[in-house]
Amino acid sequence: MRWLKAAIGEIYGLFVDDGHFALAIVAWLLFIWLGVSLLPDLAAWGGIVFFLGLAAILLANTRQGARR
């Protein structure tokens, strides 16, 4: 059974290297989705804001990784 746990851990590691990074992306996605759903007038800006948020998350994660 150890091999199964190790295999699942390896597969998980292929897709999620940093849990906080993945959680921040999912949270930002939900935030934008709710914002566009509740305020349809701002839907035109949704893509731009989504991109800028993802860029900021990536930059913050890169800076944190460089410090380690």
Side-chain angles (χ1 to χ4, degrees):
M1 276 316 233
R2 277 190 227 162
W3 66 269
L4 181 61
K5 186 177 179 180
I8 291 173
E10 288 292 325
I11 292 172
Y12 177 79
L14 286 173
F15 297 102
V16 180
D17 185 31
D18 185 3
H20 294 284
F21 181 57
L23 184 62
I25 291 172
V26 170
W28 185 246
L29 176 65
L30 289 174
F31 178 76
I32 294 297
W33 177 68
L34 285 173
V36 169
S37 297
L38 296 175
L39 303 169
D41 295 337
L42 299 178
W45 291 95
I48 295 169
V49 173
F50 182 63
F51 172 76
L52 292 175
L54 289 179
I57 292 169
L58 179 62
L59 180 64
N61 189 37
T62 303
R63 289 183 65 202
Q64 184 180 16
R67 288 184 195 160
R68 286 188 227 150

